Each structure stands twice: as C-alpha cells, then as structure tokens.
Amino acid sequence: MRFAVSLLTVLSIASVIGTVLKQNEPYNSYLNQFGQFWFPVFEALGLYSVYHASWFLAILAFLVASTSLCIIRQAPGMVKEMKSFRTGAREASLRQFAHKHMTQTALPRSEAAQQVSHYLATQGYKSRSKEQADGLLLAAKAGSWNRMGYLLAHSAIVLICVGGLLDGDLPLKLEMMLGAKQVTSLDKPFGEIGAESRLGPEHWSYRGNVFLPEGKRSNIAVLNVKDGALLQELPFSITLKKFHIEHYSTGMPKRFASDVVITDLQTGAETERTIEVNKPFEYRGVSLYQASFEDGGSKLQLKAHSLLPGSTRISDAQGEVGGNLQLKQGEETLQVEITGFRPFNIENMAQPSESEKNTLAMLNHALGSGAKAPDSKDMKNVGPSFSYKVRDAAGQAREYNNYMVPIEQDGRRFFMTGMRETQADGFRYLRLPADEDDKLDTWLAVRAILTTPGEHALIARRFAAKAMSGRGVSDTMRTRLADTAERTLQLFAESGFEGLGAFIKDSVPENEREKAADVFVRVLQGCTWEAWQLQRERKKLKPLQLTTERADFVRDTVNSISDSFHYGAPAYLALDQFEEVKASVIQATRSPGKAGVYLGCALLVAGVFFMLYVRERRLFVLLKDSGEVLIALSSNRKTMDTDTEFARHQEALESLLNHGNRTS
Amino acid sequence: MEIAQAKNPAVASSGNASYFKRSPLDWLAAVLLIGGGLFAFDRYAHFMDGYEQAILIAAIPTFIALAWAWGGLRNLLAGAAVLALAGIALYDADLARAEQAFFLKYFLSSQTAIGWMCFLFFLSTAAYWLGLLARSDFAEKTGMALSWAAVLMGTTGMLVRWYESYLIGTDIGHIPISNLYEVFVLFCLITALLYLHYERRYNTRKLGAFVLIVISAAVAFTLWYSFSRDAHEIQPLVPALQSYWMKIHVPANFIGYGAFSLAAMIGVAWLLAERGILATRLPALAVMEDVMYKAIAIGFAFFTVATILGALWAAEAWGTYWQWDPKETWALIVWLNYAAWLHLRLTKGLRGAILSWWAVIGLLVTTFAFLGVNMFLSGLHSYGAL
Ligand code: HEM
C-alpha cells in the first residue's frame, strides 16, 4: 500500500519534467539550448519527448501491473466481504470494536430480535441472525458498495492506462525499432518519399496534420516523429473548398472553419462537411479536426522601387508566399524570400493616454461595467501587409514587413515598411510620407533628385535665389549660401543626418553646434521643397503654394530619406495587387483505445464516488440469554460520521429495548 | 419517557416522507424557481439549442434540491436573483448607464459588485480573526455574516457581468468563467461557500480565520490583476473556448481547487494547534482532521470529474483526449497527489501531521497547476491560441 503511494508520487515527479522542458521541439533548437555536450545526453534520456520515453512508459506499465495485481489480490476477498454478514463474530471480538455499548433488555428475546431487526431495516441495513452459544447475534451491514468502488476505480485506472498506451505511439516505436520505418526530413515532395517513411491506412493509431491549400486535395497526414516526420496515408482524401476566418471587432479570432469534401478512396463516395474548432468530424474511424491555418501560397504582384542614389527605376515582380524571387538592383542581385501575407491587420490606433495615477481615478476606473471604456481602444483595419526576407551575397538575411496602403499617424499618412536583423527583435519602421494623391511617387521622385549629385548645384542655386530674393543682397552672399546648400546636399545624399552631424562635429565649435544644426536642417528642408518644385516643373505641373501640410510633407521626406540609409536593402517592395490563397491544417487522428479510456473514465467516477461517499458499516447486536445486549459498530472509514451514527443507533436501540420499563 | 418517545427513531427516521415536510420559505423558493425557470424557458427557449434548454430545465430541480438542503444557500439564491434582476432592470439594455445610474455605478454593476465582494471578504477575514483571538462569538458571527454578504455581492457581480457581456454584443456574450479574472472570482465564491457549509455542518466558526486567509489572498490577486492589467475587461471567446465542455469543466475544476485550498488551510491550523499555538481556541484536532478529509474527498471527486471533462473537451478541440499539455499534466499531478493522500488516509488509516503537511504542500502544487502553468509554462491552455 505504501507502495501505491510511492508509485503515485514517482509518476507525478516524472510528469513534471515534460512540463518544464518544452517537448517535441525541432532538435536543433535543443542543440542551441544545451550545447554539443548535453544535447546527446538529454536525447538519450528521452527528455525531448518524455512522455514517450521508454522509462516513462515503463513507469506506466508498472502502475498498470501493480494496480491489476492489487485488484486481483483484493477482489476475491472483497467480494466475499461484500457478501458475508460475519454472523460468526464472537462476543470477544465484538468487545474489541472502537464503537461498542453494553445494555440490558427486559423484552423476551424473540420480541427484542424482531424489534431490532425492524429497526435495522428502517436504517437501511441488511441483517442476518445466528444462534450463538450464549445468545442470538443480529449481524447487519450497509454500504457494501464501498468495496465495489475500490474495484471500479482501480480497474478504471488499468483500463484508462491500457487504452492510452494503445493510442500512444508504442506500436509505431516498435516498428521503428525493428527498422521497418525511418523518419524523413520533408525536403522533397510527398510523391518522391519512399515506402520506408510511409504508413498504410491500416496503421493502428496515429495523429498527424493534413496541409490543405484552398482548392487542393490530399490524403497524406504528416506525423512528426523525433527529429523528422512520417507520412500517414488516409483511407480517404480531403479537398478544401474554402477556409473561413471570422474576427470580432476587437480583432480577436471568432471562427475558423473549413468546407471540405471527403472522398472515400475505396468506394469513391463523397461527403461534404464543414469542420470547425470544437466541431470535429469522424469518418471511417478517423477524426478530423480544425487544427490551424496558414497561407496557402497567396500570389502577390509587387513593384520594386530602387533606392539606389538617383535611381527612379521601378521593376515589376510576381511572387508567391513561400516562394523566392531574384531582384536585379544595379550590379547585385537580391535573393527575396516571401515569407508571409496578411489580407488585413487590425491594430489599436488609439494614442496611448498616460493613465491617471491618483488612486481615486484608479478606483473610478475599476467601478462600473466589465465592458471597457470605449475611448481607450480604437481598433482599425489598416489593410494588407506582407513580409519577406532579403538575402545578401554573404547569405545574411534581413526581414521586412510592408503595409500595402498608407497608415494614418498624427494626422499624416505614411507607407510603413519595417525591417529587422533577427527574428528576436521587433520591426523598426521606416515611415515614407504619402503625397496628396495618397501615393509614394512624390517621395520617390524628390528622393531621386536629392540623391543625384548632378542636381545639387541647381537646387542649391534655386534655393539661395528664393531665400535671398528681393532685398538688396549681394551676389557674393547669395553664392555663399548656395555653396553651403550644395555642400549640405552632398553630405546628406551620402549618409543623411549622420553625415551632417559628423561634419558639424569637426567643423563647428561646441557651443554653436545647436544653432548650426538647425540652420542645416532649414537649408535642407528648403532644398527639398525646391527639389519638389523642380520635379513638378519637369512634369509640366504648376508650382505649389507652401502650406503647413506641405511643410510637414517636406520634413517627413527629409527625415525618411535620412532614415532610409539604414534600410539595409537597395529597393523598397510595394504590394500592388494580391490574390489570397488560404490553407487549412486539418488534424487526422485515429485512436481506437478511446472507447476503453472513456469507459474507464465512467468507471473511475462511479468508483471514486462509491469509495468516498459510501461508508461500509457493520452493526452487531448480540442479545444474550442473560438479558444483556452488546451493540457494536465497525466501519472501514474512520470518520466522525461513524461516531455520530453509533451514538444515534445506541440511543435508539436502547430506548427500543428498554421500552416502557424505565425505573425512575 | 417523552424524551424516549421523541427520540424513538421509528418516528425520527421515517426518511422520505419527511423530505417534503418543508418550511413555507422552502416551498416559496421552489415555487419561484419553477416559475422563474419556466418563464425563462417560455421566453428564451427559441434562442437556445438543445443543450441549453436541457441545462435550463435541469437547473430547476437542482437548485430546488440545493435550496432545500441548505437554507443559507436558498437565501443566497433569492438575494442574488433580486439584486441581479435589479441591475439588469437599471441597465435597461444600455451599457452607458453603468456610469450614469447611481445604483449601478456604486453598487450593482459587475465591477462595483465584485469590488464590494473583495472589500467584504477582507472585513470578514478581520472579523473571524478578532473572533478567534478575542474568543468573541459575536465577532465570529459577524465574520460569517460578512462572508455571506461577500458571496452575495460576488454572485450578483458575476450574474450582472454575464448580462453586460451580451450588451457589448450578442456574439460576444458568454458566461463569465472564461478568463483568469473571472475564475478567480469564482474561486473566492466557491471556497467561501464550501467553508460556510462546513461551518454549519460542524457548527464551529473557529476555522474561518484560516480559510478566509486563502480567500483574501485570491481577492488581493484579483484586485492587483484588474488594476494593473485591466484584466476585468470582458473579452469575447476565441474559437477554442466556444464549447459546452468549458461551462462544466471550469466550475468542476474550481470546486476542486476551492476544496483543496480549504483543506490546506485547515492543515495549517492543525499543525499550529498540535504545536500548542491557538490550540485552546481552535477546534479539536480530530474535528479538523475530519473536515480536512471531507474537503479533500469532495475536492478529489470533483477534480476527477473535471479532469475527465477536460479530456473530453480536449478530444473535441485539439483532436486528442490527452496530449501531456502542461496544464493537463499538472492537473494529473494534482490528482495523483490527492489520490496518494487518500490512500494514506483510507488504507493506512493514517492521521495527523503527515496528512496535514501533505495537504499544505498539496496547495502549493494546486496553486502552480492553477496559476503557475499559465504564467511560466507555455501550452495550449495559454488561450487565444487557436
Ligand atoms: C493512479 C491511481 C491509482 C493507483 C495507481 C492506485 C494503486 C493502488 C494500489 C497499488 C493499492 C494497493 C492495493 C494492495 O496493495 O492490495 C491501492 C489500494 C487502494 N486504493 Fe488505490 N490506486 C489509485 C487510485 C485510487 C483512487 C483514486 C482511490 C480512491 C479515491 C484509491 C483508493 C484505494 C483504496 C481505498 C485502496 C485500499 C483498498 C483496501 O485495501 O481496502 N485508489 N491503490
């Protein structure tokens, strides 16, 4: 029995491991985590999949064995116990009971016996009587089902474990140990993967994912095993007609559903169904679940805007999520891997308002309804976005995330393009101002002019002319300003504000840098405005009046051009058009042990309730010929209820037996 | 003689006949429950599916049985019904009224009501301690009254919150047991009710001081969680949570958690008393052992059911009844832990220190299963994931 407890404890401790260490991750992530030395050790210990490790299964097997043994050992005795009334109990042993009471009766024995057994019946006891040497023993029992509870609960444990083991990967483990099957790294199309990594439809139990782009069909479920995978052939094929995602206004997902057609590979019979989360569908013993969803290779129409100095080159490109494409930029060719696409993005556009700190306000905030104050969140769909990686010659990849349409920020609209060096850090966004027709064209054109060395002189001159028009200023002054402006443009065109900053640092004395800096910035903005006008002239458009909006645009343009020196790619990819293709991941499981497990669960519940809430009690009343009466009660549960119950019976029986002859 | 007669079990124990010998209040409760249930059915049945209609109908006899078994619970039901309906009436289908209507803002709107619950539980804790230390029966009675009041406000808050969730949007509305904040309130209510039940069964109010500690801790967490994280915001249900199983799985689990925490606190009391601390003020060791067993027994029974329900749900939502997800695994660990406890007590007839310590440590394990897993371990139960 101690042994049962230790078994339970050991099992719990063993189970903890798998919750602390993330299970069934790709092996190389473990390698990074533990390093060359420990990785193989832990692998040998099966820590990457504890619950399928042989030692863990051994513990379970042991549990099953010992519990079964326990049942077998106890069952016969218990059944006998349930049946027997222990009419053979001797007075001596009854006197050993914790609950016993000696009393008298004047009633003739037969009547006393009749009274008592009637009482026992009303109390829900079954009783038998037996003549003994010196009297009549009434032996009664109640709550025998308690023992049944023990048998039920424990056989349930066995049933559940066995069922579970059958549904587990034990059979597969054996097959693989015998070398019949080997895992594959899914590097080639399913068709080319050989029989050694395939499992037939008859395979006993499995759990795998079927990847289904819209409009495609498949009869293969991928099982992840160890550091690779096996292909499970299903007895039917699944065709995904359409995948549905619905969202709440908050952007939280509301519904995931797949409209599928299931085609029986033997009969050819077709079944149409919609599989949803929490609404699985079972076909030929295989249950199908909505597991997750992915992009099924959406087709993207891209425009690549060159960011090389002075270049206005635009090249079209078609891409597919999951696919690659080459982009020629000047002499180098970019490797672009399109990694993802989102048809919409719901973001909280509310400006973070610093919440009041004083407790009263906080309290007020906590009162009222459970609905949030409406002002605090402002969910907007900011339109499609797509993400891609750009690999340079060295194989270094930067990841980008671009939004298709401009996003409003403090009243202005920007094309957002995010960049990050590693998966670990978040995207840093470059904000490209949209022009008055909500396009990027103006920014691109102005940028091209500003980064063309040939244009600097011209812009600088026009700027100087405007800046010092009218009032009698000398040409020398004007040319000096023009020279400054040209120099500024050159520095800026090489490396943005950084260049200017550096220049100021080593040419302007400490205390005047501040002033110098914003002179430079004003010059730059002036020149940018000129560049804009120049570009319009060339396009035969009439000049613009300077307004605050346009001033903002100029400032944003200068800033973003400066930032674009850290963009890390020589081109900006804009999403022009897209054709979304969703893919649904349907999980297919076959678990024949399920029935056993569920039955076990039912038995367990019943068993536990019997064990805990039915107390087995035996009440003995020995009517001795001498008129003495011995009342004794035993129970296999030592709770206070037993005490109170005995007190009750004792009192009742006494008043019953001494009925009418109280000598007061 | 009369005494003997009166005590004659032939009269006292004519079992079932007397079950329907009821006080007018009991009958009134029954009538109201039936009336209310049928009214609701008549009015809303066509918005419900089969399950929901079945649940509504089954709820009527269930609540009647509960109300009859325990007068306190009967009064609680009545009070909560009145307050919740008042709240709903005041809302008049407009969330904004939570800010305008005085009684909503300061009394009946879900956040406020739950705030009252927190406050009352703190007071109750203080009162029980005063009662214990000053041996004041009055203080203990006050503690009990405050606990009942807290439960009343908490229940009202939950019911009103349920209604509010539908005001946000009919597609968003759902029973408030779906996120950590909501289940913490549930935990406080269940633990308090379990305690009040034992208080009555063993007629001693001396353990309240200890049990209320664990409730106050939960309350404190709830407050922190709602102030620092706005956790009280009603969130719609992600697809994985849109399931009937959730609605029975979660409450069953929390009856388990509640009972286990209660047992642990009594374990603490036992261990103190054994060392002579408060010994003269606390109930007899045997009594505490008995309550501890009762609590763990009921906790274990419900936890068994809850875990099984969880498995059934998992089978529907994730495609397998058991996959060693951290939450599942820790539920198993908790279960095994108390199975071991029961083995010790039932088969070895063990008592006292070991079992008390075991119950106390059991609370740590339980707390981790209930909180730690969500905080430190990733897994399918970290909701929001599909
Ligand atoms: C994983 C779950 C369980 C395992 C592995 C287990 C295992 C065992 C083992 C090995 C014994 C000893 C039998 C012997 O030595 O003759 C035992 C006895 C017992 N178990 Fe369990 N058990 C489990 C669950 C339960 C549960 C859930 C309960 C009750 C709520 C329970 C109640 C008992 C009782 C009352 C006995 C003693 C029976 C007797 O001697 O009268 N067991 N169990």
Side-chain angles (χ1 to χ4, degrees), chain A residues 1-2 4-5 7-9 11-13 15-16 18-23 51-52 56 60 63 118-119 122-123 154 157 160 163-165 167-168 207 243 246-250 252-256 276-280 287 289-293 359 362-372 376-377 587 589 591 593-594 597-598 600-602 604-605 608-609 611-613 636-641 648 651-653 655-656 659-660 662, chain B residues 1 3-5 7-10 13 91 95 98-99 104-106 109-112 161 164 168 171-172 201-202 226-227 230 232-243 245 286-287 290-291 293-294 296-302 304-305 308 311-327 329-330 332-333 335-337 339-351 354 358 368 377-378 380 384 386:
Chain A
M1 188 48 247
R2 275 249 174 279
V5 172
L7 199 56
L8 299 178
T9 322
L11 186 59
S12 331
I13 293 166
S15 316
V16 174
T19 66
V20 181
L21 174 57
K22 220 159 174 309
Q23 298 287 290
Y51 307 109
H52 307 106
F56 190 83
L60 284 180
L63 186 146
H118 168 267
Y119 170 72
T122 61
Q123 295 299 301
H154 287 76
I157 303 294
I160 291 171
L165 288 172
D167 288 348
R207 175 165 180 239
F243 180 70
E246 291 166 23
H247 289 79
Y248 295 102
S249 56
T250 62
M252 283 171 78
K254 177 177 178 179
R255 177 169 180 260
F256 302 93
E276 281 187 59
V277 179
N278 275 311
K279 295 192 185 66
S287 309
Y289 304 85
Q290 180 65 62
S292 65
F293 65 94
T359 42
M362 272 173 71
L363 192 64
N364 229 329
H365 172 72
L367 297 182
S369 79
K372 199 81 171 78
S376 68
K377 277 219 177 78
Q587 184 183 77
T589 53
S591 39
K594 201 166 165 180
V597 172
Y598 284 7
C601 292
L604 182 62
V605 173
V608 166
F609 270 93
M611 247 190 299
L612 296 178
Y613 290 105
N636 69 338
R637 293 278 177 276
K638 288 161 197 53
T639 66
M640 291 176 99
D641 308 346
R648 211 177 76 238
E651 195 168 359
L653 286 167
S655 64
L656 201 75
H659 187 58
R662 279 281 169 85
Chain B
M1 176 63 227
I3 308 159
Q5 273 304 340
K7 291 199 180 124
N8 185 331
S13 70
Y91 262 117
L95 263 180
E99 304 302 316
L104 278 183
K105 187 159 170 53
Y106 296 104
S109 64
S110 66
Q111 280 320 301
T112 316
R161 185 182 171 90
E164 286 166 356
I168 298 175
D171 64 338
I172 289 180
R201 273 291 301 283
Y202 289 81
S226 118
F227 276 121
D230 285 347
H232 55 262
E233 183 181 357
I234 293 173
Q235 296 287 3
L237 290 182
V238 295
L241 293 181
Q242 298 164 8
S243 161
W245 298 115
V287 173
D290 213 58
V291 182
Y293 166 72
K294 282 275 173 25
I296 287 186
I298 194 155
F300 186 81
F302 274 94
T304 310
V305 173
I308 290 170
L312 295 173
W313 182 10
E316 259 190 21
W318 304 326
T320 171
Y321 51 82
W322 195 265
Q323 58 187 335
W324 298 103
D325 163 77
K327 194 84 173 179
T329 312
W330 274 96
L332 177 68
I333 293 168
W335 191 79
L336 292 173
N337 173 60
W341 193 96
L342 286 166
H343 277 85
L344 286 174
R345 157 120 192 178
L346 297 182
T347 68
K348 293 226 69 68
L350 194 69
R351 291 288 188 282
I354 296 181
W358 200 298
F368 190 83
L377 308 177
S378 62
L380 291 159
L386 160 57

